Structures are given as C-alpha cells and as structure tokens.
Amino acid sequence: MRFRIATENLLPSEGVTRADFVTFDGRVIRAKSRLDGDLLECIRSQTDSSKLRILCNLGDRQTIVCTTSLPEQQTPYDLEVELARGELSRLRNFYHLWTGAGLKSTPVLDDLLEKAHKAFRLGIFSGSDPNACLASLRLTQEAIDLLTHLYTKQRITYRQQKTQRFPMMVGCGLSQPPIHEEHFVEAFNSILIKTRWCDLEPTDGNYEWKNLDRLVDWAGERRLFTMGGPLLNLSTDNFPDWISPWKSDPVNLQSFTSDFVETVVSRYVGRIRHWEVVCGPNRGGASALSEEQRLNLVVRAIEAAQQVDEQIQISLRVTQPWGEYLSTTENRLPPIQFIDTLRRSGARISEINLDIRFGTGSLHSLHRDMLSVSQLLDHWSILQTPLNVMAALPIAPAETDRISRVQWQMQQMEDFLLMCLSKERVTGFYCLNWADRRVMEEPLVDTDNSLHPVVSNLTALEQTHWPSSMVR
C-alpha cells in the first residue's frame, strides 16, 4: 500500500519504521515501511483492509494517528486526506458512543467538531488540499483532548457516587527504602518491589537477600500493598552473567528460571501475596528464545510460583501493548493474542499489567492521545481480567526546555491517572521508577534529591477526587 505525502517533515523517521496496520477487530498487521521522496510504501504481512497507524508531527505535538480502513489499490492514497478522515471518524464514533450513553457535551466541543468537519470538507472539495486536511487534523486532536477530559470527569463523578473508598492502587517501583519517605507514603498506597535476578543471585546458587529483606520489612511496617517483581524480564537483560551460556538453550533456561522463581517466592510466602512473574514475554529481546519457547517458559515459571503457594496472585507485564514491536522484530503474535494463548494453555493469570512508557526507545510505546489509551484499556478489558497500568514519565521532545518538559509530563501523568480512574477494570496505577539510576525510566527523584512535581500532583489528585480520610 502506498501513500503520497504533500507536507514536508510530516513523518519523523521513527514513525516510518514502526508504522503498522490494524483491522476492524483490533488485530495488528505487521508492516515494513520506507519513505522514498514524497511516497510512503508499506509492505504488509496480510492484505486485509486495515487502518494505517503512524507517528506524525502535528504542530507542537507528535502523536500516533490513524486512517480509516483502506483496501489495497494500485494508485497511492493522499496521506493527509486519509489521516484527517480517519481521525475525524474516530472522534465522531466515540462522540456519538459516549453521548448516547449519557455523556454531556459542551458548546465548545460541538463547535470544535463542526470546525473540524468544515476544514475536512474544504480539503476534499478543493482537490485534496493538504493544508486544509492538516487543519482538520489539528482541530480533531483538540476536540479529542476535550472529549476525553469530559469523559474522565463525568465517569469519575459516577464512580464517586458508587464508592467512598479510593477504587484502585496507586504505587511506585522501589529497589530500596525511599528517600522522602513521607512524600512517598502520602502519594502511594502500594509498592512494586523490584527483584532483579542479577542482583539477587550474582553467582550460581549464592543469593543476596539483605536489601530485599529490608525493603519488604519497610513496606510491611507501613502497611503498603506489596507487589513483587518482575522475577523474570524477557525484554530487558536482567539475567545474571553466569547464565549467559544457557540463554539460547530453552530446556536448561526453563530449569534455571523455575528454580529462581520458586526460591524467591518461597522466601516471602505470606509476606508478598502478588507476584509479577514475567515482564515482556510477548516481545522478548533479552534472549534468543522464539515465541513458542517463551510461551513454554512463562507457563513453567507460573507453575513454579503456584506450587509454592496456590493462593498468591500472579500477573504478567505486557510490553508495548499496542503491538509496535511486530514491525521491528520477528514476533507474529499481537500482545492480546499472546496472553490469550497463555490462558488457553492453562496458565492461571490473576491480573495483567500493561507497560505504557511513551517515547521512541525500542521498548517504548509511541506517543498517543488519551482516546487511544481509553481504547486500549477497553480492548484489554474483553479478557475479563483486572488490569494494572505500569507508567513512566513520558519522554518529551528533545528541543523542549526543562520547565516546559516538567509541566508537560505533569499534565500527561494527570491525564493518564484520570483515564485509569475512569475505567472500572483498572485496579492499579504504578509509576515504574522512584529513584533508580540503573534503568531507562526517568526517576521521580532527581540527581539532587529533589522531587518531581508529579508526586505532589498525584497526591493532590487523589485527595481532590477522594478525600484523604477515605483513600487508605
């Protein structure tokens, strides 16, 4: 499928290489895309009618936008026209879906919708004018922002009427007891205790428990809900060095991983009741295992944990839950199909953790608007399994100054938390990094030990929507 592009610098390079297609029922179709002058060529793994998803520069924002469902044809499509049509269609669909279910619109939103329609009509009837179509795209994005704001506000109001207690866990990842302890406990009612294999078993059979014991004791003394993990990370190489010779040997690797999982879970029986057993099994990348081999390894790891304690909760973390990795790796299973295959194989999964880190790194999800986040959460809700959202501070554009970057991150995390609060299937929202300098996620505590304003903002949001006396 080919697209003609009339606007210079509309597509960033990372957007082209990670472009993909989505069918009407949500299946991701992998694609190999390249830009040749003003022509975008996409070679798809399947030729079904589908929507192009691609990262675009739209004024002061860079975000994923979609076309409508397009069939193959010999002549190129006009990209600006199809993106404007697709985004306007997406806005209209959810506007009518939500207002039909009781959402109250505003004159400002209705006016934006009319202006977006008018700009699109002008673009079509003036010979596919790209400037008019881009104007429609920008107006549509502005309307989408307002629509999702109204949706989350009204949904949260509805949930407040149903429950007096804060309806989900809000936590953060820790590898040691935190500095600024009082701010941590005020903002979070849960903790994700990091269990890196390379730290716990640096040499074969020799475990170092001191730091982990201290952190588990600290969390217990403060009565924080505790989730441990991930025990195994298949997308980032947290394996100890001594296991390198067996990374490409699925039989021996399964044996080592199962033994590690059993050992750690056994030590904390009764103290940690929720374990995130595996991170990133859908994508892989930390070993040479195929999809089938990763499926087998995950099933064995879950069985090892449940043999120790049948009552513990087991969760898995899904990396890149929109499925961008399908266009850059040899994987074939979309994320939700990978998890569904695991469940059909007999793996008992209590909760699903969606790893949503916005950025352009190989493990990040490309930036999306909150309507796309809402669609994602609804899509995963069809599995009828509780969801946890694992979030990191989004990576701002490189040219953004520090003050603007911090303000943008605060707004993004606020929108993110409120969208999660509006969804009854979401039971937890976790920031991935408090102060760890060894990982890629930007920490909430800066190098000078100052707190990111996101922390106080999260606290304020919780107390605004549910008074502090009712939060915990």
Side-chain angles (χ1 to χ4, degrees), residues 4 26 29 37 47 70 96 127 155 160-161 182 213 224 262 329 334 344 408 426 439-440 463-464 466:
R4 186 183 299 107
I29 297 178
T47 58
L70 302 173
H96 291 295
R155 279 288 301 164
Q160 287 171 331
Q161 296 169 354
E182 67 283 1
D213 285 346
L224 296 173
E262 183 178 346
T329 67
R344 291 174 184 273
W408 179 78
V426 178
V439 296
M440 69 174 70
Q463 295 178 354
T464 296
W466 274 268

Side-chain angles (χ1 to χ4, degrees), residues 67 116 122 144 172-173 218 267 323 331 385:
T67 67
L122 179 63
I144 284 174
C172 190
W218 179 87
R267 185 173 181 86
N331 292 294
T385 301

